[in-house]
Amino acid sequence: MSKPLMAKATAVWLVDNTTLSFKQIGDFCGLHELEVQGIADGDVAAGVKGFDPIASLQLDAAEIERAEASPTYKLRLKHNPASEGEEKRRGPRYTPLSKRQDRPAAILWLVKFHPELADAQIAKLVGTTKPTIASIRERTHWNIQNIQPIDPVALGLCRQTELDAAVQKAAKKRAAEGVVMTDDERRKLVSTETSLAMSEEPRMPSSIAGLENFSLSRNDEEEKPEAPLDADSFFNLPDSKDEDEDDDR
């Protein structure tokens, strides 16, 4: 199925000007349902101006009315010669200048929550280079202390469908190679909805890391409660009888 021109901008227009469901808009524009929901919430495609599919002769107003009347109806794209071959376009992904500063955060999110992805897959998803990915994996990036993991879909660097396809492909490859995921890697696998709702984890400075379990005692078992101090024994006071005998003498 051919996609409309400027698919994301078209989705923005449909969200703002129609009552179509997120699934209907996603199927028509080639986007994931969650990505369309992110557009409606303002988390995805912020600042993107809507592109009218009716004015661009990609949809008829009657077609939109039919889809609004039936949630299961799928929009049909009018034949547009200019849209042919859009899905077959190849080459490196272009990242706008305004979003290039967000790539380290997206890389860190992918490395943390999808460790099964290869560097080549991450580079294709967010349009980066393998040395940059390696520096973030090894935590040698010059700004690693200030980078917070953010979902690349929420940043608009890739689509949810592309991320899901890459994760499934990586999982199948690891299963075919007989690689078993560790418990830590399995716990890191979360959905986009969960990652967006997660609060930022407090960071402990590396200089004091490990001190939370530090103890001055060599062995807790050797510690014994001290007996309470006795005032008489502390000051070594003489016995009152001895004092009387000395006076008689």
Side-chain angles (χ1 to χ4, degrees):
M1 178 181 176
S2 300
K3 298 179 183 178
L5 295 174
M6 301 177 63
K8 189 164 291 186
T10 300
V12 171
W13 189 92
L14 291 172
V15 168
D16 293 338
N17 296 277
T18 68
T19 59
L20 297 172
S21 66
F22 295 152
K23 180 170 178 56
Q24 286 176 308
I25 298 174
D27 292 341
F28 177 70
C29 298
L31 305 176
H32 194 277
E33 184 177 353
L34 293 177
E35 193 170 358
V36 180
Q37 183 176 353
I39 293 175
D41 295 337
D43 298 329
V44 180
V48 175
K49 185 178 180 181
F51 184 66
D52 188 352
I54 299 176
S56 59
L57 303 179
Q58 299 184 92
L59 273 178
D60 289 330
E63 185 75 3
I64 295 178
E65 292 176 359
R66 290 194 205 98
E68 289 177 333
S70 175
T72 59
Y73 184 82
K74 292 186 177 182
L75 293 169
R76 297 178 182 179
L77 179 69
K78 294 178 64 175
H79 177 69
N80 188 346
S83 65
E84 293 181 359
E86 283 292 310
E87 296 181 353
K88 298 180 181 179
R89 182 181 298 173
R90 294 183 179 180
R93 180 187 298 276
Y94 173 75
T95 304
L97 292 174
S98 60
K99 294 185 178 296
R100 292 182 184 181
Q101 61 184 359
D102 297 331
R103 285 187 294 193
I107 296 171
L108 182 59
W109 189 91
L110 292 171
V111 169
K112 181 177 181 180
F113 295 110
H114 291 289
E116 73 277 10
L117 291 176
D119 289 355
Q121 290 179 299
I122 297 176
K124 185 177 180 181
L125 283 171
V126 300
T128 186
T129 60
K130 291 183 178 181
T132 303
I133 300 172
S135 66
I136 292 178
R137 280 189 187 275
E138 300 168 2
R139 304 192 67 82
T140 58
H141 191 275
W142 66 273
N143 195 32
I144 190 63
Q145 297 298 331
N146 299 320
I147 300 176
Q148 297 296 331
I150 303 177
D151 190 342
V153 177
L155 292 173
L157 294 175
C158 69
R159 299 174 179 174
Q160 185 67 45
T161 53
E162 295 171 338
L163 176 59
D164 292 344
V167 171
Q168 292 176 3
K169 183 177 180 181
K172 290 180 180 179
K173 183 177 180 180
R174 295 190 66 169
E177 294 175 353
V179 179
V180 180
M181 295 179 64
T182 63
D183 293 338
D184 291 337
E185 291 178 341
R186 191 175 293 106
R187 280 193 292 267
K188 290 179 180 178
L189 299 180
V190 299
S191 63
T192 300
E193 297 167 296
T194 304
S195 65
L196 289 176
M198 290 174 63
S199 60
E200 181 179 341
E201 296 180 357
R203 290 187 174 186
M204 178 178 292
S206 59
S207 59
I208 64 172
L211 294 181
E212 63 273 10
N213 297 323
F214 180 76
S215 176
L216 293 175
S217 62
R218 295 182 179 180
N219 191 347
D220 295 338
E221 296 180 355
E222 296 179 0
E223 295 183 357
K224 297 180 179 179
E226 297 181 358
L229 294 177
D230 185 5
D232 295 336
S233 62
F234 183 78
F235 290 103
N236 295 322
L237 297 177
D239 193 359
S240 59
K241 294 181 179 180
D242 296 336
E243 291 180 356
D244 297 338
E245 292 177 357
D246 291 341
D247 294 339
D248 295 340
R249 294 175 184 176

